[in-house]
């Protein structure tokens, strides 16, 4: 994994360490990171995104506590063996809160479901082109 795979938004309401944690979880659940894959060092991520190294360290440590990452002496952090065995259910668990929030907000704004789905489809297509 390259430090540039993470997309940090300093102005977002979600703390940066949570952004890192959530993105690593999604990369593992989505199969972009597999068991044994090494993560970029704390320093690499901090330098690439101009953030405090302690922020990255906090995210990595919490993911280690969850069992998603393992610390390799002298090599840094890697995806844990058991982290990639959860399959498709884990991906839906990760995206479900966002879908619920979008559905609630669309209802509050009285947006038609078909329009929301069409816009989501276009956004996903654009995101796919940008990879």
């Amino acid at each position: 994994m390259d430090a540039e795979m993470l997309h940090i938004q300093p102005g977002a309401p979600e703390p940066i360490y949570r952004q890192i944690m959530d993105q690593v979880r999604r990369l593992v659940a989505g199969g972009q990171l597999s068991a044994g894959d090494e993560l970029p060092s704390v320093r690499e991520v901090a330098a690439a995104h101009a953030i405090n190294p302690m922020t990255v360290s906090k995210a990595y440590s919490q993911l280690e506590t969850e069992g998603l990452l393992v610390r390799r002496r002298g090599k840094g952090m890697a995806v844990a063996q058991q982290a990639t065995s959860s399959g498709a259910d884990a991906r839906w668990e990760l995206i479900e809160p966002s879908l619920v929030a979008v559905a609630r907000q669309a209802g509050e704004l009285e947006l038609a479901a078909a329009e929301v789905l069409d816009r989501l489809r276009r956004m996903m297509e654009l995101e796919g082109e940008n990879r």
Side-chain angles (χ1 to χ4, degrees), residues 14 28 56 60 112-113:
E14 184 175 31
V28 171
V56 181
Y60 280 10

Side-chain angles (χ1 to χ4, degrees), residues 8 12 22 24 31 39 41 47 52-53 57-58 61 63-64 66 77 87 97 105 125:
I8 307 299
D22 291 344
V24 170
L39 272 68
S41 73
N52 190 321
S57 182
K58 179 177 182 177
S61 293
L63 290 169
E64 180 183 20
E66 290 177 13
M77 301 298 268
Q105 292 171 9
E125 289 169 357

Side-chain angles (χ1 to χ4, degrees), residues 65-123:
T65 300
E66 290 177 13
L68 192 74
L69 301 180
V70 292
R71 189 174 309 270
R72 292 185 175 166
R73 175 165 258 140
K75 292 188 177 186
M77 301 298 268
V79 177
Q81 199 65 35
Q82 69 275 14
T84 58
S85 62
S86 52
D89 290 340
R91 293 185 299 173
W92 284 111
E93 286 178 23
L94 290 170
I95 200 166
E96 193 77 23
S98 296
L99 294 174
V100 168
V102 167
R104 181 180 38 75
Q105 292 171 9
E108 291 169 354
L109 294 168
E110 297 182 358
L111 295 172
E115 293 176 39
V116 173
L117 292 172
D118 185 52
R119 176 119 3 150
L120 175 62
R121 186 176 297 107
R122 283 184 284 161
M123 289 176 149

Side-chain angles (χ1 to χ4, degrees), residues 7 120-131:
H7 302 285
L120 175 62
R121 186 176 297 107
R122 283 184 284 161
M123 289 176 149
M124 289 181 69
E125 289 169 357
L126 281 172
E127 187 64 27
E129 291 173 6
N130 293 331
R131 289 183 186 216

